[in-house]
Structure formats: C-alpha cells, structure tokens
C-alpha cells in the first residue's frame, strides 16, 4: 500500500506547482494545525490525570480532520501521507514546530493550545482550495484512483454501500445495540448491501458531521472495514463506480425492514 501511494505522489497527483499563494497558505495552515494538535496530544496524554489539564481539555481531533478534508477537498489519509512523504509538502511544514512540555509546564500547553486554535480558525474561515489537488480527468489518473481503491479492498475484511441516516429515527434500544456510547453525532450509516463479511446494519460514520455541513456531504458511501470493524477508508459512492463494477453482485443486503438477505 505504501508503494502505491508513493506512485500516486510521484505521478504529480499531489504536486503543488499549479497552486495559488492563497492555496499554499491554506495547506500551510492545515499542516500547522495538524502538527500543533499532535504536540498537544502528547502532553495531554501524559498529564490528563491532573485537574488543570482536564479543565483545559484536548481539542477534538475529528473536528480538525473534517475541516482539513472540507477545505483541501482531499481524504484525510491522503493528506497525512502527503504531509509525511511528499517533498513539496515538506517545504510548507512549520519552520518552528511547537514543543510539548512536562506536566509542570501547563503554561506551555496553554500557549500551544492558543496556537492550535489560531491555526484552526484560519482554516475554518478560509475558502476551500480553488485548484483541486487531485482533479485530473485523464484515463491515467482514473486508473490510479481505481488502484487506490483496490488497495483498500485488499486490506478490507468487509466492504459495503452505506447511506447517511439520522440516528434519531432509531429508538433507545436500537441505538444502544448498534452504536458505541461515546459516539455523539446525530448522523450514522445505514448499510444497504455489501461484500465479504456482514457488518451491522447501523454504525457510526468515519467522520462526525453536524447539521450545518451534512448537506455538503455525499449521501451514499463505499466503506472498507478491517477485521476489527475499524474504518480503512470511506469514499463517496460516486467516486467508486469502477470498483463496484469489479465487485459485481453483492454477497448480502438489508431489505427495507432491516432483514439480512444473503445472495
């Protein structure tokens, strides 16, 4: 999988030559926010037994993830890989990375927290990237995108088509049976059909979207899960039509009443 992603980067799918100054600034803000959250997470994990740290709190990583995906119009996994491996992206990394401190240095944690919030605010108020990092309609790029999906498929224990569903339509018992107690988002997945091993009909989404941005998201997704039922990837169904053709007839599906039917 690493080799495949390296090839994707080498093929200039994620090169920055065509980007405007504002687009580059947007990527810099995303990289700085990611780096700042990483530093905060290290110190918080070491010091969360202390009351002052619990009161300060650790920023929501899911909010950062969804903001980066929305502003860069790029899957978060691809953003992470590019930030670590792409030479052009390395030049946009913070020149003076933040440093985590000891538990006795709460002031440093709070200073880093202020810096993180500034970077996140810059992301939130920015317009989405104007020149897509991956928008290339050539046959070559389409084949590369298919290869990326095939890579997810190789690692997947379960694959399914799922649609976004309002959890308030489930009763309390159904929510308790299907959703983790810590899952707070109003929106979940309702599975329609799938391949390989059967998944639960309802499950939490890969990202938690609020009511303001749920309308901007795809209504149907192709999801890939590992043996622990953890997300490998989730891609809008509209981007996975070629792989779905290769998968062929689904192995199982849920009917309108939630009954499991195997084929």
């Amino acid at each position: 999988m690493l080799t495949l992603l390296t090839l994707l980067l080498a093929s200039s799918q994620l090169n920055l030559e065509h980007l405007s100054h504002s687009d580059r600034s947007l990527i810099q803000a995303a990289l700085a926010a990611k780096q700042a959250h990483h530093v905060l997470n290290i110190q918080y994990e070491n010091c969360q037994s202390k009351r002052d740290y619990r009161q300060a709190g650790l920023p929501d990583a899911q909010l950062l993830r969804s903001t980066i995906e929305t502003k860069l119009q790029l899957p978060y996994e691809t953003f992470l890989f590019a930030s670590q491996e792409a030479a052009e992206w390395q030049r946009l990394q913070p020149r003076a990375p933040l440093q985590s401190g000891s538990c006795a240095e709460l002031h440093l944690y709070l200073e880093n927290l202020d810096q993180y919030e500034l970077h996140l605010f810059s992301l939130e108020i920015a317009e989405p990237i104007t020149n897509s990092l991956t928008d290339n309609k050539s046959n070559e790029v389409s084949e590369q995108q298919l290869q990326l999906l095939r890579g997810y498929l190789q690692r997947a224990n379960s694959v399914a088509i799922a649609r976004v569903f309002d959890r308030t339509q489930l009763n309390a018992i159904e929510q308790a049976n299907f959703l983790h107690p810590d899952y707070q988002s109003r929106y979940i997945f309702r599975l329609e059909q799938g391949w390989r091993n059967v998944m639960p009909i309802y499950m939490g989404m890969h990202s938690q979207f609020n009511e303001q941005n749920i309308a901007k998201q795809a209504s149907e997704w192709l999801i890939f899960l590992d043996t622990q039922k953890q997300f490998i990837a989730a891609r809008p169904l509209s981007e996975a039509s070629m792989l779905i053709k290769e998968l062929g007839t689904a192995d199982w599906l849920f009917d309108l009443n939630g009954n499991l039917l195997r084929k």
Side-chain angles (χ1 to χ4, degrees), residues 98-150:
L98 302 179
Q99 301 296 321
S100 62
S102 69
C103 294
E105 296 176 288
L106 176 64
H107 67 284
L108 183 57
Y109 183 83
L110 296 178
E111 290 172 4
N112 289 342
L113 185 59
D114 287 342
Q115 288 299 311
Y116 167 78
E117 290 175 346
L118 284 173
H119 295 315
L120 181 62
F121 180 70
S122 296
L123 273 178
E124 291 175 331
I125 65 172
E127 292 295 324
I129 199 164
T130 56
N131 294 291
S132 174
L133 296 169
T134 59
D135 187 14
N136 188 329
K137 301 183 184 302
S138 69
N139 292 334
E140 180 182 358
V141 171
S142 295
E143 179 62 25
Q144 291 166 351
Q145 292 171 340
L146 178 58
Q147 290 299 326
L148 184 59
L149 293 173
R150 286 171 177 161

Side-chain angles (χ1 to χ4, degrees), residues 189 203-206 223-226 229-234:
F189 278 141
M203 58 186 299
M205 295 180 67
H206 60 297
I223 59 177
F224 303 81
L225 271 69
D226 63 18
K229 295 184 172 60
Q230 300 297 312
F231 281 98
I232 296 172

Side-chain angles (χ1 to χ4, degrees), residues 179-192:
L179 302 180
H180 191 280
D182 293 337
Y183 187 80
Q184 301 298 320
S185 175
R186 173 177 172 177
Y187 299 99
I188 60 175
F189 278 141
R190 184 192 191 280
L191 274 58
E192 298 179 339

Side-chain angles (χ1 to χ4, degrees), residues 232-248:
I232 296 172
R235 304 305 308 141
L237 195 61
S238 60
E239 299 178 11
S241 58
M242 290 187 293
L243 183 67
I244 291 173
K245 288 180 181 179
E246 291 187 0
L247 287 169

